[in-house]
Amino acid sequence: VFDRSLLAQPATEVAPRLLGAVVRHGDVAVRLTEVEAYLGHLDPGSHAFRGQTPRNSVMFGRAGHLYTYFTYGMHVCANVVCGEEGTATAVLLRAGEVVDGVGLARERRTTSRRDTDLAQGPARLAVALGITLEHGGVDLAAGPVFLELTDAASVFETGPRTGVAGPGGGAEYPWRYWIPGEPTVSPYKRHTPKRRVTAVPAGSVS
DNA sequence: GTCGAGATTATCT
DNA sequence: GATAATCTCGACC
């Protein structure tokens, strides 16, 4: 099932409905157990908070497309674009259970020790599914990456988003959604700022 | 098991 | 030039 009108709402409405949905790419399929909502220009944690750029332009487009981005120098994360065209709301796919193509997922995720690790975390999920930056803008109804929604809403819990820096990371934005009891849900980690060694004031050397 | 640091580069200011 | 919607590994309990 693919219902684009369901996706054409704010991400906070769509996110819980994606729990239990299946993302499929070729032989590998993942059932989503954890997602996060991002609300565009209203949301300090969103890539779109400061407006449209070449990277985030897909988020401003039609709902049901895939927004991919590259971060931390080596990782790809995948989002489902939500909302009306012109808004930049989207749902980050954080974790899930590999329900098809486990063998191929294991080959791609060589560092994984247990099968619950295969898609436990947004960058791991992208690797397990073979999603790269090239899949940015793909229509999830047309493929090659597909989204299969479930009929019924899942039971879920909410909490602060993982790894979000600054104002958007606090408890005022409890926009992380997960299915309780699922072993594939990633552990919560708050954002840890990187130390810099550059800002040494002149004359401070003792 | 938990914790913290380092990796590594596209993207934006 | 600084930052980042993260992951992995090594240290330690």
PDB file of all heavy atoms in Angstrom, chain A residues 121-138:
ATOM      1  N   GLY A 121      20.121   2.099  13.680  1.00  0.00           N
ATOM      2  CA  GLY A 121      20.765   3.399  13.502  1.00  0.00           C
ATOM      3  C   GLY A 121      20.591   3.848  12.059  1.00  0.00           C
ATOM      4  O   GLY A 121      20.570   3.012  11.147  1.00  0.00           O
ATOM      5  N   PRO A 122      20.434   5.157  11.822  1.00  0.00           N
ATOM      6  CA  PRO A 122      20.078   5.642  10.486  1.00  0.00           C
ATOM      7  C   PRO A 122      21.110   5.336   9.406  1.00  0.00           C
ATOM      8  O   PRO A 122      20.744   4.966   8.279  1.00  0.00           O
ATOM      9  CB  PRO A 122      19.921   7.149  10.687  1.00  0.00           C
ATOM     10  CG  PRO A 122      20.568   7.461  11.993  1.00  0.00           C
ATOM     11  CD  PRO A 122      20.469   6.227  12.824  1.00  0.00           C
ATOM     12  N   ALA A 123      22.395   5.469   9.728  1.00  0.00           N
ATOM     13  CA  ALA A 123      23.410   5.187   8.718  1.00  0.00           C
ATOM     14  C   ALA A 123      23.525   3.685   8.466  1.00  0.00           C
ATOM     15  O   ALA A 123      23.752   3.245   7.341  1.00  0.00           O
ATOM     16  CB  ALA A 123      24.758   5.765   9.157  1.00  0.00           C
ATOM     17  N   ARG A 124      23.352   2.900   9.509  1.00  0.00           N
ATOM     18  CA  ARG A 124      23.371   1.442   9.340  1.00  0.00           C
ATOM     19  C   ARG A 124      22.194   0.985   8.483  1.00  0.00           C
ATOM     20  O   ARG A 124      22.332   0.104   7.631  1.00  0.00           O
ATOM     21  CB  ARG A 124      23.293   0.766  10.709  1.00  0.00           C
ATOM     22  CG  ARG A 124      24.516   0.949  11.574  1.00  0.00           C
ATOM     23  CD  ARG A 124      24.194   0.470  12.968  1.00  0.00           C
ATOM     24  NE  ARG A 124      25.379   0.373  13.811  1.00  0.00           N
ATOM     25  CZ  ARG A 124      25.333  -0.058  15.069  1.00  0.00           C
ATOM     26  NH1 ARG A 124      24.185  -0.411  15.604  1.00  0.00           N
ATOM     27  NH2 ARG A 124      26.433  -0.130  15.786  1.00  0.00           N
ATOM     28  N   LEU A 125      21.033   1.578   8.722  1.00  0.00           N
ATOM     29  CA  LEU A 125      19.843   1.227   7.948  1.00  0.00           C
ATOM     30  C   LEU A 125      20.075   1.508   6.462  1.00  0.00           C
ATOM     31  O   LEU A 125      19.719   0.699   5.601  1.00  0.00           O
ATOM     32  CB  LEU A 125      18.650   2.014   8.480  1.00  0.00           C
ATOM     33  CG  LEU A 125      17.276   1.783   7.854  1.00  0.00           C
ATOM     34  CD1 LEU A 125      16.185   1.886   8.912  1.00  0.00           C
ATOM     35  CD2 LEU A 125      16.998   2.758   6.734  1.00  0.00           C
ATOM     36  N   ALA A 126      20.703   2.652   6.173  1.00  0.00           N
ATOM     37  CA  ALA A 126      20.968   2.992   4.778  1.00  0.00           C
ATOM     38  C   ALA A 126      21.932   1.996   4.148  1.00  0.00           C
ATOM     39  O   ALA A 126      21.739   1.576   3.005  1.00  0.00           O
ATOM     40  CB  ALA A 126      21.535   4.408   4.681  1.00  0.00           C
ATOM     41  N   VAL A 127      22.957   1.584   4.902  1.00  0.00           N
ATOM     42  CA  VAL A 127      23.916   0.608   4.374  1.00  0.00           C
ATOM     43  C   VAL A 127      23.234  -0.734   4.133  1.00  0.00           C
ATOM     44  O   VAL A 127      23.393  -1.355   3.076  1.00  0.00           O
ATOM     45  CB  VAL A 127      25.110   0.441   5.341  1.00  0.00           C
ATOM     46  CG1 VAL A 127      25.974  -0.749   4.928  1.00  0.00           C
ATOM     47  CG2 VAL A 127      25.939   1.716   5.383  1.00  0.00           C
ATOM     48  N   ALA A 128      22.459  -1.191   5.100  1.00  0.00           N
ATOM     49  CA  ALA A 128      21.790  -2.488   4.984  1.00  0.00           C
ATOM     50  C   ALA A 128      20.892  -2.538   3.745  1.00  0.00           C
ATOM     51  O   ALA A 128      20.813  -3.552   3.058  1.00  0.00           O
ATOM     52  CB  ALA A 128      20.982  -2.781   6.239  1.00  0.00           C
ATOM     53  N   LEU A 129      20.240  -1.407   3.473  1.00  0.00           N
ATOM     54  CA  LEU A 129      19.334  -1.347   2.325  1.00  0.00           C
ATOM     55  C   LEU A 129      20.062  -1.001   1.021  1.00  0.00           C
ATOM     56  O   LEU A 129      19.453  -1.042  -0.047  1.00  0.00           O
ATOM     57  CB  LEU A 129      18.244  -0.306   2.577  1.00  0.00           C
ATOM     58  CG  LEU A 129      17.068  -0.747   3.454  1.00  0.00           C
ATOM     59  CD1 LEU A 129      16.232   0.451   3.849  1.00  0.00           C
ATOM     60  CD2 LEU A 129      16.200  -1.784   2.741  1.00  0.00           C
ATOM     61  N   GLY A 130      21.326  -0.646   1.111  1.00  0.00           N
ATOM     62  CA  GLY A 130      22.045  -0.249  -0.089  1.00  0.00           C
ATOM     63  C   GLY A 130      21.608   1.108  -0.604  1.00  0.00           C
ATOM     64  O   GLY A 130      21.678   1.389  -1.798  1.00  0.00           O
ATOM     65  N   ILE A 131      21.178   1.988   0.287  1.00  0.00           N
ATOM     66  CA  ILE A 131      20.756   3.342  -0.094  1.00  0.00           C
ATOM     67  C   ILE A 131      21.961   4.275  -0.061  1.00  0.00           C
ATOM     68  O   ILE A 131      22.710   4.291   0.914  1.00  0.00           O
ATOM     69  CB  ILE A 131      19.653   3.856   0.851  1.00  0.00           C
ATOM     70  CG1 ILE A 131      18.359   3.069   0.626  1.00  0.00           C
ATOM     71  CG2 ILE A 131      19.407   5.353   0.637  1.00  0.00           C
ATOM     72  CD1 ILE A 131      17.246   3.421   1.583  1.00  0.00           C
ATOM     73  N   THR A 132      22.159   5.005  -1.158  1.00  0.00           N
ATOM     74  CA  THR A 132      23.268   5.955  -1.256  1.00  0.00           C
ATOM     75  C   THR A 132      22.710   7.335  -1.610  1.00  0.00           C
ATOM     76  O   THR A 132      21.495   7.508  -1.754  1.00  0.00           O
ATOM     77  CB  THR A 132      24.262   5.534  -2.353  1.00  0.00           C
ATOM     78  OG1 THR A 132      23.619   5.687  -3.625  1.00  0.00           O
ATOM     79  CG2 THR A 132      24.700   4.093  -2.168  1.00  0.00           C
ATOM     80  N   LEU A 133      23.616   8.311  -1.773  1.00  0.00           N
ATOM     81  CA  LEU A 133      23.181   9.659  -2.132  1.00  0.00           C
ATOM     82  C   LEU A 133      22.470   9.665  -3.484  1.00  0.00           C
ATOM     83  O   LEU A 133      21.646  10.542  -3.748  1.00  0.00           O
ATOM     84  CB  LEU A 133      24.384  10.605  -2.184  1.00  0.00           C
ATOM     85  CG  LEU A 133      24.979  11.011  -0.830  1.00  0.00           C
ATOM     86  CD1 LEU A 133      26.080  12.020  -1.041  1.00  0.00           C
ATOM     87  CD2 LEU A 133      23.905  11.582   0.077  1.00  0.00           C
ATOM     88  N   GLU A 134      22.794   8.698  -4.333  1.00  0.00           N
ATOM     89  CA  GLU A 134      22.167   8.638  -5.652  1.00  0.00           C
ATOM     90  C   GLU A 134      20.659   8.426  -5.564  1.00  0.00           C
ATOM     91  O   GLU A 134      19.935   8.711  -6.514  1.00  0.00           O
ATOM     92  CB  GLU A 134      22.765   7.500  -6.481  1.00  0.00           C
ATOM     93  CG  GLU A 134      24.217   7.719  -6.851  1.00  0.00           C
ATOM     94  CD  GLU A 134      24.762   6.563  -7.674  1.00  0.00           C
ATOM     95  OE1 GLU A 134      23.971   5.663  -8.037  1.00  0.00           O
ATOM     96  OE2 GLU A 134      25.972   6.565  -7.935  1.00  0.00           O
ATOM     97  N   HIS A 135      20.183   7.910  -4.440  1.00  0.00           N
ATOM     98  CA  HIS A 135      18.755   7.668  -4.296  1.00  0.00           C
ATOM     99  C   HIS A 135      18.001   8.890  -3.789  1.00  0.00           C
ATOM    100  O   HIS A 135      16.791   8.820  -3.558  1.00  0.00           O
ATOM    101  CB  HIS A 135      18.520   6.473  -3.372  1.00  0.00           C
ATOM    102  CG  HIS A 135      19.078   5.193  -3.919  1.00  0.00           C
ATOM    103  ND1 HIS A 135      20.239   4.607  -3.438  1.00  0.00           N
ATOM    104  CD2 HIS A 135      18.670   4.408  -4.950  1.00  0.00           C
ATOM    105  CE1 HIS A 135      20.497   3.511  -4.129  1.00  0.00           C
ATOM    106  NE2 HIS A 135      19.572   3.359  -5.052  1.00  0.00           N
ATOM    107  N   GLY A 136      18.686   9.992  -3.596  1.00  0.00           N
ATOM    108  CA  GLY A 136      18.005  11.224  -3.202  1.00  0.00           C
ATOM    109  C   GLY A 136      17.007  11.643  -4.273  1.00  0.00           C
ATOM    110  O   GLY A 136      17.337  11.672  -5.459  1.00  0.00           O
ATOM    111  N   GLY A 137      15.772  11.936  -3.871  1.00  0.00           N
ATOM    112  CA  GLY A 137      14.747  12.364  -4.817  1.00  0.00           C
ATOM    113  C   GLY A 137      13.924  11.246  -5.418  1.00  0.00           C
ATOM    114  O   GLY A 137      12.970  11.511  -6.147  1.00  0.00           O
ATOM    115  N   VAL A 138      14.269   9.992  -5.116  1.00  0.00           N
ATOM    116  CA  VAL A 138      13.503   8.870  -5.657  1.00  0.00           C
ATOM    117  C   VAL A 138      12.061   8.907  -5.144  1.00  0.00           C
ATOM    118  O   VAL A 138      11.814   9.175  -3.971  1.00  0.00           O
ATOM    119  CB  VAL A 138      14.178   7.537  -5.246  1.00  0.00           C
ATOM    120  CG1 VAL A 138      13.218   6.361  -5.363  1.00  0.00           C
ATOM    121  CG2 VAL A 138      15.427   7.300  -6.077  1.00  0.00           C
TER     122      VAL A 138
END
